[in-house]
Amino acid sequence: MVTVPKQAPRQSLTVVDNRTNKVYELPIKHNSVLATDIKKIKSQAGDDRKEDETEQGLRVFDPAYMNTAVVESKITYINGLDGILRYRGYPIEQLVKKSDFLESAFLLIYGELPTKNQYSNWQNEIMHHTYIHSDIEGIFKSFRYDSHPMSMLTSSFATLGAFAPEANPSLRGQKLFTNAASGDPAALQILDKQILRIIGKAPTLAAASYRMRQGRPFNRPAQGLSYTGNFLYLLDHLSGTEYRPHPVLEKALDALFIIHADHEVNCSTATVLQVGSSLVDPYSVVSAGCAALYGPSHGGASESAIRMLMEIGSPENVPAFMAQVEKRERVLVGFGHRVYKNVDPRSTAIRELAEQVFQVTGRNKLLDTATTLADYARKSEFMRSRNLYPNVDFYSGLIYQAMGFPLDFYPVLFAVPRCVGWLAHWRQMMLNPSGVKIWRPRQLYLGEGEREYVEADKRKEKANATPFDAPVEVHHGGDSKRNRLASYKDAAGHTRDRAKL
Ligand SMILES: CC(C)(COP(=O)(O)OP(=O)(O)OC[C@H]1O[C@@H](n2cnc3c(N)ncnc32)[C@H](O)[C@@H]1OP(=O)(O)O)[C@@H](O)C(=O)NCCC(=O)NCCS
């Protein structure tokens, strides 16, 4: 560190470029410097590779976004060190206790808790938009019976877009949604209508993926039930009239939906914004969000956590499993978080819910293993030194399992409420008064410099080739031995002897 003469404090960063001895003063705003200000720091290439583009300005290298803010947002605040999560300023613990999912959704998207009148209109509009076109049911039926519900959900959101050409900027003009930033009522209306449609239809699509797996006919949305009550109806109703879900389970699911509704610029929300920045339709945007959420490092973790607990089997096997984790042979799923380096406030709220649910459903058999694992992890030097604490997914899976949801449905139970967060961020982006710039990161190119094309007969196998340098041999699972031994004529009429191929 270089010591510079003391001056009066000011909101700026002074940088000395030792390549040129030039001094730069970069403004600091909200405790950040602009990456485009860093780009003003230029030098002659010297020994740098041409591909380093040194003369075009210094770049910020941040693989995996370890310390990069990509948006200015007013939606959700997380403080990872103090374990704080707030939606629009309201602590998550208060919302879980006092709010309901649709109210929190309104808060996240529009910035304030709704008045009674606003809430009633909002609820009516969302429930009005729960129906899906019957052709979309056909899309579900074209999936195999054992398709993962997230594959179906991801596809079905993209499919919804095909049913809403009036909401497609590729067809109706690039500024279809961004015109809303200037208050254009038609643009605002089309923007908010898609929000209603997506939030309204998300449970219907999710339930269709579930019923498809079960080989059961799809239910039509029920009016007169809450958002989560209707979701449970869509999932579970078989026959009879006046279906009412168990109030404790309905309330618990609603609270879980609040907890999962938003989480700042996490992997799937960043994906949503990345994709949204191309100005594609919101259905494609949400579908992309689902794809990102599905991964086991993100929303797939609750499913993986339960699979892990089932594999551990019982509390006495915990030490052996933890030994594998400490040798870095295994990941302890449901632990660790990019932002929370202390307790995950969502996991605290969820533990209370778990107790309420278990009183109704009976205790989850994996709870003892989970508790032993959490105790063991708390004392483990490996876990402590890396600030790895249980996250939301460690406990949510236990509740879902007690409620009888199949394992592969857990990410769907995450995706339905997360649509709200995605749409809140997407709307905020579309309403940016300075317009929407396409998200286009740069790379540090470390590959070959320019080289001349080599004709096929002059090419040689690479010396010291590794298994990564060419496609590995793959096995053709569907090819029977009989077929491999057969001979046949190809489309051009040439006889092919497959045994010799
Ligand atoms: C969430 C997660 C992806 C965050 O990753 P990250 O911020 O990039 O953290 P890192 O991968 O840099 O981890 C830092 C260190 O902790 C270790 N670590 C992180 N999570 C771990 C886990 N769940 N089990 C074991 N070790 C873990 C890493 O191996 C690394 O160790 P090292 O410093 O010796 O190399 C990661 O903690 C994880 O994979 N957790 C399990 C999946 C999960 O529960 N996801 C849901 C999140 S809500």
Side-chain angles (χ1 to χ4, degrees):
M1 194 190 291
V2 182
T3 314
V4 289
K6 207 165 166 54
Q7 295 180 16
R10 57 187 189 279
Q11 284 293 313
S12 67
L13 178 75
T14 301
V15 177
V16 182
D17 184 348
N18 294 321
R19 299 170 302 178
T20 58
N21 281 327
K22 283 192 187 154
V23 178
Y24 298 81
E25 186 167 356
L26 314 181
I28 294 180
K29 199 174 159 201
H30 301 304
N31 188 32
S32 72
V33 290
L34 277 174
T36 43
D37 281 344
I38 305 271
K39 195 173 161 65
K40 292 176 188 156
I41 303 177
K42 295 180 181 169
S43 164
Q44 294 304 309
D47 293 337
D48 291 354
R49 281 161 51 99
K50 207 164 167 236
E51 291 78 11
D52 290 340
E53 298 173 1
T54 309
E55 283 146 9
Q56 292 183 36
L58 198 61
R59 295 175 295 195
V60 177
F61 181 48
D62 188 14
Y65 296 140
M66 296 298 286
N67 187 32
T68 292
V70 285
V71 282
E72 289 181 328
S73 178
K74 294 183 176 170
I75 301 171
T76 292
Y77 174 67
I78 300 177
N79 179 324
L81 282 183
D82 297 336
I84 292 173
L85 169 60
R86 295 183 203 135
Y87 295 165
R88 301 279 187 179
Y90 294 102
I92 190 71
E93 298 83 354
Q94 287 188 23
L95 292 170
V96 169
K97 282 213 170 74
K98 298 187 175 175
S99 183
D100 67 32
F101 174 66
L102 281 189
E103 183 183 76
S104 296
F106 186 101
L107 171 72
L108 278 165
I109 298 171
Y110 300 102
E112 295 295 338
L113 287 166
T115 62
K116 278 191 176 164
N117 202 20
Q118 283 173 323
Y119 179 84
S120 152
N121 287 341
W122 171 243
Q123 187 181 36
N124 287 343
E125 285 291 354
I126 296 275
M127 298 315 283
H128 177 86
H129 284 93
T130 46
Y131 274 79
I132 54 174
H133 194 291
S134 55
D135 286 352
I136 294 186
E137 295 183 358
I139 302 286
F140 280 96
K141 288 181 185 146
S142 66
F143 277 96
R144 294 199 74 202
Y145 69 96
D146 59 352
S147 304
H148 196 292
M150 273 307 273
S151 303
M152 291 191 257
L153 186 70
T154 306
S155 316
S156 66
F157 274 121
T159 308
L160 271 190
F163 287 74
E166 76 286 1
N168 187 345
S170 300
L171 299 171
R172 294 297 148 104
Q174 182 148 3
K175 297 198 164 197
L176 183 65
F177 297 115
T178 50
N179 273 342
S182 61
D184 174 352
L188 261 173
Q189 199 180 48
I190 193 103
L191 188 146
D192 279 343
K193 187 166 182 189
Q194 309 324 307
I195 290 175
L196 295 170
R197 277 179 169 166
I198 293 172
I199 299 174
K201 292 177 198 323
T204 318
L205 298 174
S209 75
Y210 177 85
R211 301 283 288 202
M212 174 61 208
R213 292 290 302 272
Q214 311 238 323
R216 289 185 178 160
F218 304 142
N219 286 323
R220 299 285 146 79
Q223 301 300 318
L225 291 174
S226 71
Y227 187 79
T228 32
N230 169 56
F231 184 35
L232 288 166
Y233 170 88
L234 289 167
L235 291 169
D236 297 334
H237 175 68
L238 286 173
S239 59
T241 56
E242 299 189 27
Y243 169 93
R244 288 278 174 271
H246 192 288
V248 171
L249 302 191
E250 180 184 2
K251 179 85 190 71
L253 192 60
D254 199 81
L256 283 165
F257 274 18
I258 297 175
I259 289 169
H260 284 98
D262 193 42
H263 211 226
E264 202 226 41
V265 200
N266 53 79
C267 173
S268 57
T269 306
T271 304
V272 155
L273 293 175
Q274 173 84 43
V275 174
S277 78
S278 78
L279 300 181
V280 73
D281 67 273
Y283 301 96
S284 304
V285 161
V286 168
S287 175
C290 280
L293 187 85
Y294 185 11
S297 294
H298 189 10
S302 55
E303 176 182 349
S304 311
I306 293 294
R307 289 194 196 281
M308 178 189 75
L309 289 173
M310 284 161 56
E311 184 194 329
I312 296 171
S314 56
E316 63 271 21
N317 299 331
V318 163
F321 187 85
M322 280 303 296
Q324 288 181 302
V325 171
E326 287 165 357
K327 278 193 256 159
R328 300 167 61 120
E329 291 167 8
R330 298 293 300 261
V331 166
L332 192 55
V333 186
F335 281 72
H337 196 271
R338 171 60 63 77
V339 181
Y340 295 124
K341 299 301 172 195
N342 194 325
V343 71
D344 177 342
R346 300 170 302 170
S347 70
T348 318
I350 254 184
R351 273 196 348 232
E352 286 171 23
L353 283 177
E355 289 308 324
Q356 293 162 19
V357 169
F358 295 159
Q359 277 183 14
V360 175
T361 60
R363 214 162 170 269
N364 187 317
K365 290 198 190 80
L366 291 173
L367 195 62
D368 290 338
T369 309
T371 315
T372 311
L373 191 61
D375 285 346
Y376 202 105
R378 189 156 31 87
K379 292 178 201 142
S380 154
E381 181 49 30
F382 176 92
M383 301 295 283
R384 275 182 10 189
S385 62
R386 289 169 176 77
N387 296 321
L388 300 171
Y389 296 93
N391 58 47
V392 66
D393 295 305
F394 188 62
Y395 296 105
S396 59
L398 290 168
I399 304 184
Y400 295 147
Q401 197 180 42
M403 286 173 81
F405 291 115
L407 286 180
D408 56 9
F409 202 62
Y410 300 178
V412 174
L413 293 167
F414 192 158
V416 170
R418 185 53 62 87
C419 285
V420 163
W422 293 333
L423 291 168
H425 288 268
W426 175 74
R427 188 177 191 269
Q428 179 175 255
M429 177 183 242
M430 293 301 121
L431 295 185
N432 188 340
S434 24
V436 178
K437 273 191 103 54
I438 191 161
W439 283 24
R440 175 52 168 98
R442 293 300 313 269
Q443 60 171 3
L444 302 187
Y445 177 71
L446 305 182
E448 301 285 348
E450 186 179 2
R451 48 185 177 165
E452 283 289 315
Y453 183 81
V454 181
E455 297 302 334
D457 54 0
K458 300 218 172 77
R459 291 175 209 161
K460 293 194 184 107
E461 293 243 344
K462 192 173 169 182
N464 311 322
T466 73
F468 307 115
D469 295 331
V472 291
E473 193 184 334
V474 295
H475 303 289
H476 299 167
D479 208 4
S480 71
K481 191 169 184 183
R482 298 179 306 284
N483 201 26
R484 284 201 298 277
L485 292 171
S487 66
Y488 66 100
K489 280 191 177 171
D490 66 16
H494 301 126
T495 301
R496 317 271 291 183
D497 187 345
R498 302 198 74 180
K500 291 186 190 144
L501 286 178

